[in-house]
Amino acid sequence: MKNVGSDSTAVPAGHDGRTRHAVARLLLEQGPIAAVSVAEQLGLSPTAVRRHIDALVADGEAVDREAPRRGQRGRGRPAKLFLLTEQGRARFGHAYDDLAVAALRFLAEQGGEEAVRAFAERRVSALVDQHRAAIVAQPDSAERAKALAVALTREGYAASARHVGAGEQLCQHLCPVAHVAAEFPQLCETETAAFADLLGTHVQRLATIARGDAVCTTHIPNPPPITVGETDTRPSDGGEPA
């Protein structure tokens, strides 16, 4: 019998597949993330989690990177953060295949870039319009960003939103059309424009999975404060006048 030592939270062999999938999902949704954070969220020991992460790395499904330094560097090895590779994301499935790329190539040959852009606009419109009412009903840009993240998660994008500096940051940890968007950036461009329309403000796409980044990141700036005596020309949030 294998000696598991004092690791009382070690996962039985029959549960390894489900646990590894849970570890991989946290790396997908929150990566880059430390192994100890994964362990805390899953209620496992760091040893058990590192065993699963090491297996993902060995299989080419995850990679590590050095954690950003904060303050003066102490002794010992630098902390490691982990995230999934494109191969690792594939375990969660994709909503595209070679046929989609071939179809868009044909569309581009027949109708040019405008035809591809028209297709991309129709696709993103179908994606967001069903969530539009819930998003625009929110009182400010921060709440709209959170509502958009919820909507995108329901559509398979594993999205989250958080406050960063002078704005909000929308992260999409999974892109069902990343391989297609790598060849046809119109998919990303029209998606960004749709986000700006929904949130009622200019947004800036900082990173995309299609370009090889770990996550699609969109910056949503906070509206500037209103100076006394100025007229508020910002888009209405739908509430009653002050």
Side-chain angles (χ1 to χ4, degrees):
M1 179 180 293
K2 183 178 179 180
N3 182 10
V4 297
S6 60
D7 184 10
S8 60
T9 58
V11 182
H15 297 276
D16 272 7
R18 291 195 297 273
T19 303
R20 189 157 304 164
H21 187 84
V23 170
R25 176 165 286 280
L26 276 181
L27 265 58
L28 168 73
E29 296 179 349
Q30 300 183 28
I33 183 174
V36 65
S37 296
V38 175
E40 290 173 355
Q41 294 186 56
L42 295 181
L44 299 172
S45 72
T47 301
V49 167
R50 283 304 302 261
R51 176 165 59 86
H52 288 290
I53 290 179
D54 288 345
L56 290 169
V57 171
D59 290 342
E61 295 188 29
V63 293
D64 63 65
R65 62 173 57 170
E66 187 174 328
R69 299 177 185 175
R70 292 184 173 88
Q72 188 174 7
R73 181 174 177 176
R75 295 182 178 181
R77 293 181 298 176
K80 294 289 185 182
L81 302 178
F82 299 90
L83 67 157
L84 290 189
T85 62
E86 183 62 30
Q87 181 178 334
R89 291 192 189 97
R91 71 160 53 221
F92 295 95
H94 295 290
Y96 62 84
D97 54 23
D98 292 340
L99 179 61
V101 175
L104 281 179
R105 286 174 181 168
F106 178 80
L107 184 62
E109 291 172 0
Q110 298 298 311
E113 181 180 349
E114 288 305 312
V116 175
R117 186 168 295 279
F119 167 81
E121 290 173 348
R122 177 173 295 186
R123 174 189 171 274
V124 74
S125 177
L127 176 72
V128 302
D129 280 356
Q130 58 187 316
H131 304 287
R132 181 177 296 275
I135 294 170
V136 300
Q138 301 305 312
D140 53 43
S141 59
E143 292 302 318
R144 285 181 177 179
K146 293 177 183 177
L148 177 55
V150 171
L152 290 171
T153 296
R154 290 174 179 171
E155 299 297 332
Y157 286 81
S160 60
R162 64 191 180 106
H163 182 73
V164 177
E168 310 302 317
Q169 190 172 87
L170 177 71
C171 294
Q172 296 159 253
H173 302 272
L174 182 65
C175 178
V177 295
H179 284 177
V180 182
E183 184 168 342
F184 296 97
Q186 297 93 330
L187 294 175
C188 295
E189 293 165 2
T190 56
E191 184 178 274
T192 304
F195 290 172
D197 176 57
L198 277 171
L199 300 172
T201 184
H202 168 74
V203 302
Q204 182 180 9
R205 185 60 67 86
L206 303 178
T208 64
I209 295 172
R211 291 201 305 254
D213 298 304
V215 62
C216 294
T217 306
T218 304
H219 176 67
I220 305 159
N222 286 334
I226 298 300
T227 303
V228 176
E230 289 185 346
T231 301
D232 187 352
T233 59
R234 293 176 295 182
S236 171
D237 288 320
E240 294 296 327

